[in-house]
């Protein structure tokens, strides 16, 4: 049985470097912790969240405050994903390096063009992000752009180790581009498939793979599925015959399972971020896992 406490503990052990004087990086989500550790191999890296948590809702615990207080750099998704908890952490940590607008805080969403940007002022849920979908780490091309920005920020903040960061970025970039080409070939059979998803967590992945989302289990972003909404999807699912009904590990499976049983459609639970206890410690391992899971399900048809 997976537990949030076990996941968080293992992630901290996997990503924390030993030297107490190491450059300290606070990552709001595991994907950025994993990327930071690859680009700054000698740094001490800590992730505030794990794969079994909804990153929209995190408690500003004393342990997180302490970690942010000692951070030289914080990297977060941005696009208001952490709006419900990061400001409280910043205030209580009182670390001038990682305040909004300072060089020590890097928002990934500000380094790329996000999808689904919209107007502000009329939303009733924190899961609607006017600045665009914040789950951009699930697009390999956008993640590469964030890696470039993160590497440069590391050089700016820690110039004494500039050569180390430059070498790490160069090696990572070469390997990452090779992975992108491999994923394109490997995932080619998935192009044109359909899925029914819960929330927009995997929208960047669907777009990169050419997979169509036919509907959402949530009646509105961030609003839990209702019986009436799920019932309204039955005919669509039976007509469209999607590859799967997909939800993330941190989302309750009951709604997906109910609809899957009603329509005889497979339910696929996927990790939306890194999870070391499942041997998904680096971004490339996450993409390998996601693509393999989809291809395996396709092969079972």
């Amino acid at each position: 049985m997976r537990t949030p406490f076990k996941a968080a503990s293992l992630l901290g052990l996997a990503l924390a470097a030993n030297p107490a004087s190491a450059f300290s990086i606070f990552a709001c989500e595991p994907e950025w912790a994993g990327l930071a550790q690859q680009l700054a191999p000698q740094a001490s890296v800590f992730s505030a969240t794990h794969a079994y948590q909804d990153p929209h809702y995190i408690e500003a615990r004393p342990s997180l405050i302490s970690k942010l207080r000692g951070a030289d750099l914080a990297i977060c998704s941005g696009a208001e994903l952490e709006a419900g908890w990061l400001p409280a952490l910043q205030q209580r940590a009182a670390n001038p390096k990682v305040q909004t607008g300072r060089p020590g805080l890097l928002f990934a969403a500000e380094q790329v063009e996000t999808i689904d940007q919209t107007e502000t002022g009329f939303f009733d849920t924190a899961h609607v992000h006017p600045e665009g979908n914040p789950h951009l780490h699930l697009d390999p091309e956008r993640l590469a752009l964030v890696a470039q920005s993160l590497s440069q920020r590391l050089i700016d903040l820690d110039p004494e180790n500039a050569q180390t960061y430059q070498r790490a970025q160069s090696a990572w970039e070469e390997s990452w581009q090779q992975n992108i080409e491999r994923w394109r070939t490997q995932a080619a059979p998935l192009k044109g498939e359909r899925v029914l998803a819960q929330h927009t967590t995997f929208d960047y992945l669907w777009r990169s793979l050419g997979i169509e989302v036919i509907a959402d289990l949530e009646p509105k972003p961030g609003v839990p599925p209702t019986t009436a909404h799920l019932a309204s999807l039955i005919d669509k699912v039976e007509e469209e015959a999607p590859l799967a009904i997909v939800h993330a590990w941190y989302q309750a499976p009951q709604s997906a399972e109910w609809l899957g049983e009603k329509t005889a459609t497979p339910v696929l639970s996927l990790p939306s971020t890194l999870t070391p206890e499942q041997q998904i410690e680096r971004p490339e391992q996450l993409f390998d896992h996601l693509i393999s899971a989809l291809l395996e399900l396709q092969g079972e048809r």
Side-chain angles (χ1 to χ4, degrees), residues 76 135 245:
C76 303
H135 308 291
I245 299 171

Side-chain angles (χ1 to χ4, degrees), residues 11-35:
L11 186 61
L13 289 173
L15 295 178
N18 291 326
S21 60
F23 189 86
S24 178
I25 301 175
F26 178 100
C28 288
E29 291 84 27
E31 58 265 24
W32 307 125
L35 179 63

Side-chain angles (χ1 to χ4, degrees), residues 60-295:
R61 304 188 306 275
S63 60
L64 300 187
I65 296 169
S66 176
K67 289 293 185 180
L68 189 61
R69 181 175 295 128
D72 297 298
L73 169 66
I75 175 169
C76 303
S77 292
E80 299 186 2
L81 177 64
E82 304 92 358
W85 54 274
L86 181 59
L89 278 184
Q90 290 174 300
Q91 181 180 17
R92 296 175 189 177
N95 180 351
K97 296 179 182 179
V98 295
Q99 298 301 316
T100 302
R102 301 285 294 182
L105 178 60
L106 179 69
F107 285 121
E110 294 180 358
Q111 316 308 312
V112 302
E113 182 73 19
T114 56
I115 63 174
D116 299 333
Q117 297 183 28
T118 186
E119 297 296 326
T120 61
F122 59 90
F123 300 115
D124 57 1
T125 169
H127 284 254
V128 176
H129 302 280
E131 297 175 15
N133 187 318
H135 308 291
L136 57 99
H137 66 286
L138 290 172
D139 177 359
E141 300 285 356
R142 285 180 169 87
L143 192 143
L145 293 176
V146 176
Q148 292 175 7
S149 296
L150 175 56
S151 181
Q152 185 58 55
R153 190 65 59 90
L154 288 165
I155 292 171
D156 293 342
L157 294 175
D158 188 21
E160 292 184 359
N161 291 302
Q163 290 186 348
T164 298
Y165 299 134
Q166 289 168 346
R167 286 194 297 266
Q169 163 62 16
S170 179
W172 184 91
E173 180 70 23
E174 181 179 358
S175 175
W176 192 253
Q177 291 305 319
Q178 292 173 354
N179 281 323
I180 288 178
E181 293 303 318
R182 176 172 60 84
W183 292 325
R184 284 173 180 165
T185 301
Q186 183 182 3
L190 294 171
K191 187 174 183 179
E193 286 283 8
R194 304 179 184 89
V195 295
L196 189 147
Q198 182 169 348
H199 197 54
T200 59
T201 304
F202 295 100
D203 275 8
Y204 285 97
L205 179 69
W206 306 141
R207 293 192 184 204
S208 69
L209 298 180
I211 293 176
E212 177 187 355
V213 180
I214 64 168
D216 195 319
L217 287 175
E218 297 178 347
K220 293 181 180 180
V223 176
T226 63
T227 302
H229 179 65
L230 293 174
S232 73
L233 297 174
I234 292 177
D235 288 343
K236 188 172 187 63
V237 172
E238 292 178 339
E239 178 183 350
E240 296 282 351
L243 173 65
I245 299 171
V246 180
H247 68 91
W249 282 358
Y250 70 83
Q251 295 165 332
Q254 290 84 353
S255 297
E257 292 172 350
W258 182 90
L259 187 59
E261 182 178 349
K262 291 292 184 181
T263 61
T265 302
V267 174
L268 185 60
S269 179
L270 294 174
S272 59
T273 187
L274 309 189
T275 172
E277 77 277 13
Q278 296 295 325
Q279 288 73 56
I280 306 174
E281 301 175 302
R282 303 188 302 275
E284 62 268 27
Q285 293 175 326
L286 176 60
F287 284 98
D288 283 340
H289 181 94
L290 295 173
I291 292 172
S292 294
L294 290 164
L295 287 170

